[in-house]
Each structure stands twice: as C-alpha cells, then as structure tokens.
Amino acid sequence: MVVHVFDTPAQVAQAAAAVIAAQILQKPDSVLGLATGSTPMDTYRELISLHRGGVLDFSRVKSYNLDEYVGLPDGHPESYVSFMKRNLFDHINIGSYSLPDGRARDLQRECESYEQAIKDDGGIDMQLLGIGNNGHIGFNEPGEAFTYSTNLTTLAQSTIDANKRFFDSIDQVPRQALSMGIGTIMEARSILLLALGEAKAQAVYQMIRGPITPRLPASILRSHARVTVMLDKAAAARL
Ligand code: PGA
C-alpha cells in the first residue's frame, strides 16, 4: 500500500485526478471502477476540467460503479446513477458506463449479470474507492465474512446515519443496495482509495494499522498488490 498524505482536500483531488488521467493516457480503453459520495466529487471536477481542456479523452473508457441503492424511483436525484450523471458523465465523453440496477425485478440475477459484464469487459483496470466511517468499501459493511461477488446488501445503521444528509429524512434513506463484493474490488488491477476529513481518521487508521478483518472491510486492501491511498491531513491524523 502506498500512502500519500496531503495538506488539503484540493490536493488530494488533484493527485487522484492525475493518477486516473495517467491510467487513461496509458490505456485509452481503460475500464474504470467508480465511486459515489462526497469524497470523489472534487476529483471528478478535476477530470472534467482535464477533459474540457482537451487533455483527456474518455471516448474509449468504460466504467462500472461500485454500488446503487435498491428501490429508489427512476430518476431519483439521490440515486447513484443520478449522482454520476450530475457529477461526471454529463460533462465528459465517456464511452460507456454501468451501475448495478437497483430497480431490477430480479436483484439476484442483476448481481450476476453485473459481475459477468465486468468480466466480459476484461476486468477493472483501476478502481476508485472512498471509505465509510465504519470501514466499508462500496456497501460491503462490517461483518463476519468478506463478500465475494456483487451482492444485495443491507446498509449498516452507521451508513444510514452517514447518508441521511442527502435525504429529507432518515426514513427516506434506502435500507438495501446492490454492491460489488470485496472479491470484485480485489480483482481490480489497481486501486486508488481516497479519504478526507477527521470523521474518517479512525477507519483509515484501522485499515492501515489494524488487523485484516471483515469487521473493517477496507483492511483487506492491504493484501492487494497495487493500492494507492490518498489522504488529507485530517483523515491521516491517527497514523
Ligand atoms: P463519502 O462516502 O465519500 O460520502 O464520505 C464514502 C463511503 O461511504 O464509502
């Protein structure tokens, strides 16, 4: 694991965009794994600006997002597909993008076909990740065992609490989601994890210094050969 600590969130975003840009420049038909949440938003802004400046061409890039809520109505502004359009896809020339369909009638089958689609595209070259306050990656919540492939998952109460800021009330936060599994994430050829702010300091500390355990799902990343972690000072405070 290569760990970089930057003074500001803006520097994290610039560094993360530089790494993603290098990936696309080196392999224009890269398959990217993308993430939602507050953390990657400035990174996406940097990528948009590289695209607008004529530096980055996404036309041959394919992307797969980590996860999607189950049960939100079509076009809901807080669905992850809406988030991704608003914050990235509507502003670049992405070749194609996919998210798990949280409105599929057969959710189990949707998980299987999502996993297969990633494989059919040759697997993920670079997976972008945030980390939950509880150490989750994607919606792989702390538990007794690591998940393997894309799965239907129930959000931890701590995740519901963390995500309620995006909804009018806590009752509106979906309780379930489809998420790439830990196995799906670990199959990515490289991983870039970002964490910002003091609320992440404990999870970051446990990820880097604690035991590798499904109780802190991100800790498994230490057994991946190519992981880069970018932190601001606040998220690195306990290291
Ligand atoms: P955040 O979420 O970027 O909104 O903090 C990260 C996560 O829960 O994985």
Side-chain angles (χ1 to χ4, degrees), residues 36-40 130-133 136-139 159 163 165-166 200:
T36 50
S38 307
T39 309
I131 181 171
N133 301 347
H136 75 196
I137 45 178
F139 276 126
T159 299
N163 289 8
R165 68 190 194 279
F166 298 113
K200 301 294 171 67

Side-chain angles (χ1 to χ4, degrees), residues 66-71 80 100 107-108 111 134 136-143 145 147 149-156 159-160 174-182 217:
L66 280 168
D67 44 21
E68 177 61 282
Y69 289 123
V70 166
Y80 285 172
L107 293 168
Q108 191 49 45
C111 291
N134 64 4
H136 75 196
I137 45 178
F139 276 126
N140 295 284
E141 303 288 18
T147 56
S149 59
T150 302
N151 60 92
L152 171 63
T153 174
T154 299
L155 274 54
T159 299
I160 294 169
R175 266 39 186 179
Q176 288 189 306
L178 300 184
S179 176
M180 283 186 196
I182 293 292

Side-chain angles (χ1 to χ4, degrees), residues 102-117:
R103 303 183 71 246
R105 236 193 270 162
D106 185 340
L107 293 168
Q108 191 49 45
R109 219 166 121 197
E110 173 62 14
C111 291
E112 285 158 21
S113 64
Y114 196 69
E115 194 73 24
Q116 191 58 48

Side-chain angles (χ1 to χ4, degrees), residues 5 16 23 26 36 44-45 68 70 73 79 93 99 104 106 113 121 126 155 157-158 160 178 180 188 198 224:
V5 181
Q23 170 69 41
Q26 283 165 355
T36 50
Y44 292 154
R45 249 173 243 140
E68 177 61 282
V70 166
S79 71
N93 63 336
L99 291 87
D106 185 340
S113 64
D121 272 335
M126 178 172 283
L155 274 54
Q157 189 57 47
S158 50
I160 294 169
L178 300 184
M180 283 186 196
E198 62 183 357
H224 190 288

